[in-house]
Amino acid sequence: MEHFWQWFSGLFANWGVVWNNFDYLLVGAYPQGPLGGLAMSIVMAVIGIFGAFWIGLAAGLMRISKRPWLSWPALIYIEIIRGTPLLMVIFWFYFFAPLLMNQSVPETESAIAAFIVFTGAYIAEIVRAGVLAIPKGQMEAARGSGLSHTQAMVHIILPQALRNMIPSFVNQFVSLTKDTSLAMIINVNELTLAARHVYTRTMKAPMEIFLTIALLYFAICWVLTAFSRRLERSMARYQARTSHDR
Amino acid sequence: MPMIEIHNVNKWYGDFHVLKNINETVEKGEVLVICGPSGSGKSTLVRCVNRLEEIDQGEILIEGKNIHAKDQDINQLRAEIGIVFQQFNLYPHLTVLRNITLAPMKVKKIPRDEAEATALALLERVGIGNQAHKYPVELSGGQQQRVAIARALAMKPKIMLFDEPTSALDPEMINEVLNVMKDLAREGMTMLCVTHEMGFAREVADRVIFMDHGEILERGTPEHFFTSPQHERTKAFLKEIL
Ligand SMILES: Nc1ncnc2c1ncn2[C@@H]1O[C@H](COP(=O)(O)OP(=O)(O)OP(=O)(O)O)[C@@H](O)[C@H]1O
Ligand SMILES: [Mg+2]
């Protein structure tokens, strides 16, 4: 019994390390210092997914174009990125961006650029598949009524395709949220690096600290996945109803 | 001047000769019914008339204008030719009203309230005036096809193309669509109809053509076509569908 209490109070004390540094894990030194921790992870993931959406939309549409000068660059971009580990892309941007731009680029910005370019390639494939999944009759009806190809895309094809793609986008967002932890390698103060800071500063309670951040990642991804499931269910309903229309 | 003139049209899909030396003239207000077995090129021919398909040889004139000319504005052309498909092809993410007003607003730049007024009048005319705010999936097949016809009419076309508009419908819904088409024919619309509805052909067609293997094998008035077909294959085909 005595042993148990010793062990238990020790555990309690160690959770205290987490508790005392919880704000640092959540927001870094903010508002006195720079933003960091979980907030930084989320900021990078959100900016990353929005940037990747536009790049992926453009690349995905270029990829299905009949014009080779549009489809080839998109194909090369997509295939190169999909065959490269994210860590490598992070290094490219970290080492080459300053050389290219002839000035220093902050780590956070170069990490976000890497996330955008990396995730964009996957979104491009989602967009391509989504557009190709729309029945051909939709484009024919639209063109047949006098709409231009672009108008048909904007008003008929993309609204349907993008709606069907929402669950896949959420999945990419979940992946990206976890992958932001790789940015610690170039010293971006996101959640994983913040945890390491706390540990090196206190030299205590590694288990508790890393368990806490694992739970934080899990909580975010779980909420997003649950949201995605719900969307998928309502999408399934929408599709079941529209399949009648083909 | 004839509404549609088709001169010596040939078309290939790779090695496959899908349209063989097609010649046909359709006057303004005429209703031409095209029939023939599956794969004979009926849809392809109709789709060449609004350039959903390109042709390899020959020319198609609409009111004397060569529509397969390089400098033809394809969207301008299609705005004047309505097309109705077997599978309806309504836009599932838009309401019935938006399905109908989209092209007039985007292609002809008609203001929304005017486009909506026209759409509502057209829905009334095809007998579903009370369905404007529903989505296509909430309608029956026959109602959806009538929306598709209203959608095509909203562009005030000179010509209407129908590609087997009743083939995907349950039997009890066929007549509601045919009746709309008959009204259109009587109002003087120029129509090209791919259909096997011989009752419709008898009642409103001015002429019937029979296609087989990419050729027009037989042509004539419905009277001639049904009572004294010349070609063996026409007779065999008629025996099968009547
Ligand atoms: N895009 C295409 N590429 C290659 N072959 C095609 C293409 N579209 C149609 N075909 C072929 O051309 C032929 C004529 O097709 P079409 O759709 O015009 O026939 P149809 O008379 O309308 O037949 P159905 O009554 O089945 O609708 C068919 O054998 C078809 O397989
Ligand atoms: Mg056909």
Side-chain angles (χ1 to χ4, degrees):
Chain A
M1 206 55 194
E2 204 176 323
H3 278 139
F4 174 79
W5 280 115
Q6 243 169 18
W7 174 80
F8 186 76
S9 54
L11 197 65
F12 217 75
N14 289 351
W15 281 113
V17 171
V18 170
W19 180 245
N20 291 335
N21 292 285
F22 203 60
D23 55 341
Y24 186 73
L25 289 177
L26 288 185
V27 294
Y30 196 79
Q32 291 79 29
L35 190 72
L38 180 64
M40 181 56 112
S41 298
I42 292 175
V43 164
M44 288 197 298
V46 169
I47 298 177
I49 200 77
F50 275 102
F53 173 79
W54 293 107
I55 293 211
L57 184 61
L61 292 178
M62 284 167 67
R63 172 82 175 77
I64 50 181
S65 166
K66 289 198 183 66
R67 301 185 188 121
W69 57 272
L70 281 174
S71 64
W72 271 90
L75 178 76
I76 291 169
Y77 158 63
I78 293 166
E79 292 306 318
I80 287 184
I81 293 297
R82 294 208 311 156
T84 311
L86 174 54
L87 198 51
M88 214 57 63
V89 181
I90 291 174
F91 279 141
W92 289 346
F93 276 87
Y94 183 62
F95 291 116
F96 296 141
L99 296 181
L100 277 180
M101 304 186 47
N102 218 354
Q103 61 180 33
S104 74
V105 176
E107 301 88 38
T108 310
E109 273 82 340
S110 83
I112 289 174
F115 293 141
I116 289 176
V117 167
F118 183 81
T119 306
Y122 289 85
I123 299 234
E125 283 297 279
I126 295 171
V127 168
R128 182 175 80 102
V131 167
L132 294 181
I134 301 298
K136 263 176 73 182
Q138 293 290 306
M139 184 52 110
E140 285 179 352
R143 295 306 307 274
S145 70
L147 295 177
S148 69
H149 182 83
T150 309
Q151 285 176 321
M153 270 293 175
V154 168
H155 297 291
I156 304 302
I157 307 298
L158 285 179
Q160 296 181 59
L162 291 176
R163 201 185 309 197
N164 296 344
M165 287 179 230
I166 291 174
S168 307
F169 289 149
V170 176
N171 286 344
Q172 280 301 320
F173 188 47
V174 169
S175 298
L176 182 56
T177 304
K178 293 182 288 186
D179 287 347
T180 53
S181 59
L182 290 173
M184 76 173 285
I185 214 81
I186 56 169
N187 224 21
V188 176
N189 188 13
E190 44 64 66
L191 181 54
T192 309
L193 190 64
R196 209 168 74 171
H197 284 162
V198 172
Y199 176 63
T200 44
R201 205 158 55 217
T202 60
M203 290 313 272
K204 273 190 222 146
M207 292 293 283
E208 290 80 348
I209 292 169
F210 285 99
L211 185 63
T212 302
I213 69 161
L215 286 173
L216 286 173
Y217 281 118
F218 176 80
I220 288 191
C221 294
W222 187 83
V223 168
L224 283 170
T225 308
F227 171 67
S228 162
R229 290 249 165 72
R230 267 187 58 176
L231 273 176
E232 253 167 284
R233 269 201 298 278
S234 58
M235 291 295 114
R237 262 204 302 280
Y238 165 83
Q239 259 155 1
R241 297 195 316 164
T242 55
S243 62
H244 170 84
D245 180 57
R246 300 206 178 152
Chain B
M1 185 186 298
M3 190 60 116
I4 309 171
E5 292 167 81
I6 301 173
H7 295 310
N8 300 318
V9 165
N10 279 285
K11 178 176 175 64
W12 285 265
Y13 284 123
D15 289 340
F16 181 62
H17 200 169
V18 58
L19 293 178
K20 297 175 186 162
N21 216 33
I22 304 287
N23 284 285
E24 188 57 57
T25 303
V26 182
E27 300 293 334
K28 187 169 190 316
E30 239 189 336
V31 176
L32 179 70
V33 162
I34 305 169
C35 61
S38 182
S40 56
K42 309 178 297 291
S43 299
T44 309
L45 177 59
V46 161
R47 292 154 59 90
C48 286
V49 174
N50 72 347
R51 262 184 93 172
L52 275 180
E53 301 281 352
E54 297 293 330
I55 60 179
D56 296 309
Q57 286 176 3
E59 52 182 19
I60 299 179
L61 310 181
I62 298 212
E63 294 187 314
K65 228 170 37 192
N66 179 3
I67 59 159
H68 284 265
K70 281 265 180 300
D71 59 353
Q72 169 69 43
D73 178 344
I74 199 163
N75 299 323
Q76 178 58 39
L77 165 79
R78 288 176 181 153
E80 301 185 333
I81 304 178
I83 183 163
V84 175
F85 304 88
Q86 180 174 352
Q87 301 298 334
F88 329 140
N89 296 345
L90 295 181
Y91 312 130
H93 63 302
L94 300 178
T95 61
V96 163
L97 191 65
R98 285 288 289 149
N99 262 273
I100 300 175
T101 56
L102 184 73
M105 286 169 62
K106 300 299 172 191
V107 180
K108 290 189 156 178
K109 314 287 178 212
I110 291 172
R112 177 185 288 268
D113 43 356
E114 192 185 326
E116 287 183 352
T118 308
L120 290 171
L122 282 167
L123 283 172
E124 207 61 60
R125 182 165 150 198
V126 299
I128 39 177
N130 50 348
Q131 314 282 1
H133 298 287
K134 290 195 176 164
Y135 282 86
V137 287
E138 298 172 271
L139 306 184
S140 72
Q143 292 173 322
Q144 290 192 47
Q145 193 61 300
R146 286 185 279 159
V147 171
I149 294 174
R151 177 174 71 177
L153 292 175
M155 294 296 280
K156 305 197 164 58
K158 294 178 187 152
I159 300 169
M160 283 288 282
L161 309 174
F162 292 87
D163 189 358
E164 305 203 35
T166 56
S167 300
L169 295 178
D170 296 334
E172 73 271 17
M173 296 172 182
I174 290 179
N175 276 328
E176 62 194 49
V177 171
L178 288 180
N179 287 337
V180 170
M181 292 170 61
K182 286 174 192 170
D183 286 345
L184 257 185
R186 293 195 189 99
E187 286 160 23
M189 177 64 77
T190 308
M191 291 164 60
L192 249 62
C193 310
V194 178
T195 180
H196 293 156
E197 293 297 332
M198 291 303 139
F200 172 81
R202 275 216 172 89
E203 207 174 318
V204 297
D206 294 293
R207 281 177 308 117
V208 180
I209 62 178
F210 174 74
M211 287 184 72
D212 194 19
H213 291 106
E215 289 176 283
I216 299 180
L217 278 191
E218 184 123 12
R219 45 170 39 105
T221 61
E223 203 45 43
H224 158 87
F225 189 80
F226 290 113
T227 55
S228 52
Q230 301 299 303
H231 213 285
E232 281 311 314
R233 274 190 281 185
T234 321
K235 289 176 192 163
F237 175 77
L238 283 174
K239 208 145 114 206
E240 216 168 282
I241 61 162
L242 288 181

